[in-house]
Amino acid sequence: MNRAALLVLADGRFPAGGHAHSGGAEEAVTAGRVRDVAGLEEFCRGRLHTSGLVAAGLAAAAAAGYEPLLLEEAADARTASPALRHTSRRLGRQLLRAARSAWPCAELEALAAARPRGAHQPVVLGLAARCAGLMPLDAAYAAAYESIGGPVTATVRLLRLDPFDATAVLARLAADLDHVAAAAAEAAQRIHADGPAALPAGSAPLLDIAAEQHATRAARLFAS
Amino acid sequence: MHLQHSDTFPDGHPHGSGGSSGERPGGRHRALRIGLGGPVGSGKTATVAALCRTLREELSIAVVTNDIYTREDAEFLLREAVLPAERITAVQTGACPHTAIRDDISANLEAVEDLEDHLGTLDLILIESGGDNLTATFSKGLVDAQIFVIDVAGGDDIPRKGGPGVTTSDLLVINKTDLAPHVGADLQAMARDAEAQRDRLPTVLTAVKTPGGIIPVADWIRARLADWTAHAA
């Protein structure tokens, strides 16, 4: 157990491709649904409690040692939008590359061999946490935090928000993060007995629809 | 129970993770990778196009473009038909072109690997950065050598100002020399300043769109490729 590895894994500078993605924030800005700091906070709260919670559950289950390829299916079942499935696998592939260098481990190699075009990002994140010696709750925290950290950084660039105000949004969501990570880790504890149905399966239809719209735009700053 | 895994790889290093290895998974020798960076409008895409036209008969080439918010550079190369479409890939960079070539190279590495997987053995992959500033440089994990392209119309004081692109690039191209009389640029001063900044690294003053203008750049790439191939043998 090496808790400091969580700082490395959750660092926005960890070279796993996240900088080119907005987590749906760009489309929300383009559509006028996010215009300011208050709108960003609502967007992040919604994302955290839906796709953030789902990602945290998958990551915690992978960190607990549940079969990654079964979690791949569980992730597909929880990701309605083809564009978001594509993004998740692409980011998973990039994270797998970084994680294999940072924490060489037979389980990461096995997943890379089974999914050369990429596995779902939360599954890779959980397995990376496992190989780094972290606990399922740690993996859930990393996934939950990432689900809002990316949109905040992207929105600072898209709307020229005051970066201090934007960072305060993340700080104000800390209690929600605690709640989501704990719920995800608790669900992951039940997966060995109950199977993937134990994992959260919340969805955010507007994020799905917006992701499909964003994917068709010719001019955009972020890949998703 | 969670263990700190200490599994070692059969051959001692994790294939496919880092980008600087000279081999592709399976032990095959990979293509030479050259990065092209430089400010917006200096002629990076024109240089890539001219290099492809000049070298495509003798070398198997592919191109990765890093477009900032469109696919314009990739589409320009496709429209100009400098290479077949399957040899050109665009990577999206999320408002930070320098991040994708230096701090987090994973998307570019995957584009490179996919080209090699789909096209078979390649000699040369050109990776064009999105237009950026004078501090943009490529990671050694992504490219084997980098060309920095500036132009005389951007101000003849750029070589004097230096910065990582001007001082550390393996080849500095000072482009659009044909415009010098029209913009009042002092080519001799640019050459002198570049020499002073670059500690014996080569500099080419040329206009890549004029007939023969790409030849010194193409010759430099041929020499790098000869070194690369000799190193692999």
Side-chain angles (χ1 to χ4, degrees), chain A residues 165-188:
Chain A
D165 292 343
T167 299
V169 166
L170 291 173
R172 281 196 294 276
L173 288 169
D176 289 63
L177 272 169
D178 284 336
H179 174 76
V180 164
E186 189 273 327

Side-chain angles (χ1 to χ4, degrees), chain A:
Chain A
M1 175 67 193
N2 178 357
R3 176 58 64 73
L6 178 57
L7 298 175
V8 179
L9 185 61
D11 190 333
R13 291 164 294 191
F14 194 72
H19 68 94
H21 294 261
S22 78
E26 180 166 38
E27 188 62 26
V29 166
T30 304
R33 288 190 292 274
V34 171
R35 300 166 195 267
D36 51 21
V37 172
L40 174 63
E41 184 160 343
E42 287 312 299
F43 178 88
C44 286
R45 182 173 285 109
R47 189 162 199 263
L48 174 61
H49 286 277
T50 53
S51 54
L53 176 62
V54 170
L58 291 164
Y66 197 73
E67 170 55 44
L69 296 182
L70 292 177
L71 292 173
E72 274 275 285
E73 291 176 11
D76 267 339
R78 287 160 175 75
T79 312
S81 151
L84 286 180
R85 288 186 186 188
H86 177 73
T87 296
S88 176
R89 287 220 161 83
R90 199 163 164 186
L91 284 170
R93 183 178 170 189
Q94 291 176 258
L95 176 58
L96 195 50
R97 175 191 299 278
R100 287 164 74 195
S101 280
W103 300 287
C105 157
E107 287 172 87
L108 288 171
E109 292 306 305
L111 183 58
R115 289 284 186 274
R117 307 286 305 163
H120 276 290
Q121 197 266 3
V123 178
V124 179
L125 183 63
L127 202 59
R130 179 175 171 82
C131 290
L134 293 165
M135 304 297 286
L137 179 62
D138 300 323
Y141 264 106
Y145 180 65
E146 193 176 71
S147 76
I148 54 174
V152 166
T153 305
T155 307
V156 167
R157 293 180 189 165
L158 290 163
L159 290 177
R160 299 181 294 116
L161 293 183
D162 181 329
F164 302 111
D165 292 343
T167 299
V169 166
L170 291 173
R172 281 196 294 276
L173 288 169
D176 289 63
L177 272 169
D178 284 336
H179 174 76
V180 164
E186 189 273 327
Q189 280 184 342
R190 289 184 276 110
I191 193 171
H192 287 291
D194 299 347
L199 297 180
S203 73
L206 196 50
L207 281 178
D208 291 340
I209 293 164
E212 293 298 320
Q213 284 172 339
H214 186 264
T216 65
R217 291 196 187 274
R220 55 184 198 223
L221 274 178
F222 292 89
S224 79

Side-chain angles (χ1 to χ4, degrees), chain B residues 3-226:
Chain B
L3 302 171
Q4 280 287 20
H5 296 270
S6 59
D7 312 66
T8 49
F9 298 89
D11 52 0
H13 65 90
H15 270 315
S17 310
S20 48
S21 163
E23 289 182 353
R24 300 168 55 200
R28 285 168 297 169
H29 192 57
R30 67 164 171 80
L32 176 70
R33 302 195 293 243
I34 303 281
L36 291 101
V40 176
S42 62
K44 293 180 298 299
T45 309
T47 303
V48 168
L51 283 172
C52 290
R53 289 193 194 100
T54 305
L55 296 171
R56 66 190 173 194
E57 302 301 326
E58 60 191 277
L59 300 174
S60 179
I61 308 175
V63 172
V64 178
T65 64
N66 282 241
D67 284 323
I68 300 177
Y69 54 87
T70 65
R71 290 175 43 86
E72 293 240 347
D73 289 343
E75 279 162 9
F76 172 84
L77 295 172
L78 289 170
R79 211 164 45 240
E80 295 285 303
V82 298
L83 289 177
E86 69 272 16
R87 288 179 177 264
I88 301 171
T89 296
V91 166
Q92 197 151 21
T93 60
C96 260
H98 52 271
T99 304
I101 60 165
R102 186 184 57 208
D103 312 277
D104 183 350
I105 58 177
S106 49
N108 270 302
L109 276 179
E110 260 133 47
V112 163
E113 289 174 1
D114 284 353
L115 284 167
E116 294 201 292
D117 285 347
H118 295 150
L119 298 170
T121 304
L122 294 170
D123 300 308
L124 174 67
I125 299 178
L126 301 172
I127 303 169
E128 182 191 343
S129 160
D132 206 336
N133 59 45
L134 297 174
T135 67
T137 50
F138 285 82
S139 165
K140 289 175 183 172
L142 180 61
V143 302
D144 304 298
Q146 56 177 338
I147 299 173
F148 201 69
V149 183
I150 61 174
D151 74 289
V152 303
D156 63 3
D157 53 350
I158 288 182
R160 194 184 73 240
K161 287 178 179 167
V166 167
T167 58
T168 68
S169 57
D170 298 289
L171 178 70
L172 178 67
V173 175
I174 300 177
N175 191 23
K176 306 185 192 176
T177 48
D178 52 333
L179 297 183
H182 307 293
V183 295
D186 183 342
L187 292 179
Q188 282 182 337
M190 292 185 88
R192 196 172 54 239
D193 291 342
E195 190 183 350
Q197 288 280 7
R198 288 176 51 72
D199 190 26
R200 290 193 289 274
L201 287 166
T203 299
V204 165
L205 283 89
T206 188
V208 301
K209 279 189 176 176
T210 58
I214 198 63
I215 287 173
V217 185
D219 284 346
W220 180 84
I221 285 186
R222 288 189 185 99
R224 297 288 72 68
L225 197 60

